[in-house]
Amino acid sequence: MTLTAAADGSSLGNPGPAGWAWYVDDDCWAAGGWESSTNNRGELTAVLELLRATEAAGLAGEELLIQCDSQYVINSLTRWMKGWKRRGWRKADGRPVLNDDLMKALDAALAGRAVRF
């Protein structure tokens, strides 16, 4: 079985008031926000909270398809993270990875999970 979920984040201004949400169905969703953050942190938090919630619900063994419109999130988690980890959470140019706190938490939450975007 594949569990399909949507995840999204946004901010009004960047930074500015920001929020995140994920949705599986009318009985399974969550949302939150902050007075000031960035759209990328909202996008990352939506995916992280989705992963945490599905694990807590005993669904970590199910394949998870995440519908997400953020190329930053998708590329970070599927293409760039392996190199960042190899370089000590630094980008190819040597600068630190942005939002590394969330990236590290997402790396841990994704470990052993079958997740597609």
Side-chain angles (χ1 to χ4, degrees):
M1 178 180 112
T2 299
L3 180 64
T4 301
D8 202 9
S10 68
S11 68
L12 298 172
N14 208 16
W20 59 268
W22 60 263
Y23 178 89
V24 174
D25 60 34
D26 287 347
D27 297 319
C28 186
W29 64 274
W34 314 271
E35 287 186 25
S36 182
S37 193
T38 66
N39 63 312
N40 285 340
R41 289 191 67 82
E43 298 276 6
L44 291 165
T45 299
V47 173
L48 179 59
E49 293 299 326
L50 169 62
L51 292 168
R52 288 175 172 167
T54 53
E55 181 177 6
L59 300 171
E62 302 295 329
E63 181 180 31
L64 178 60
L65 173 61
I66 302 174
Q67 297 174 332
C68 175
D69 65 359
S70 171
Q71 289 300 303
Y72 170 69
V73 169
I74 295 167
N75 287 329
S76 292
L77 302 182
T78 64
R79 297 179 59 200
W80 304 331
M81 187 176 285
K82 188 180 289 186
W84 293 342
K85 289 170 55 176
R86 188 175 57 248
R87 291 186 294 271
W89 294 98
R90 296 207 167 263
K91 298 187 291 184
D93 64 6
R95 291 185 297 183
V97 170
L98 297 175
N99 303 306
D100 69 327
D101 58 330
L102 292 171
M103 295 297 181
K104 290 173 184 177
L106 282 157
D107 182 43
L110 287 165
R113 304 253 337 235
V115 177
R116 293 183 296 125
F117 289 88

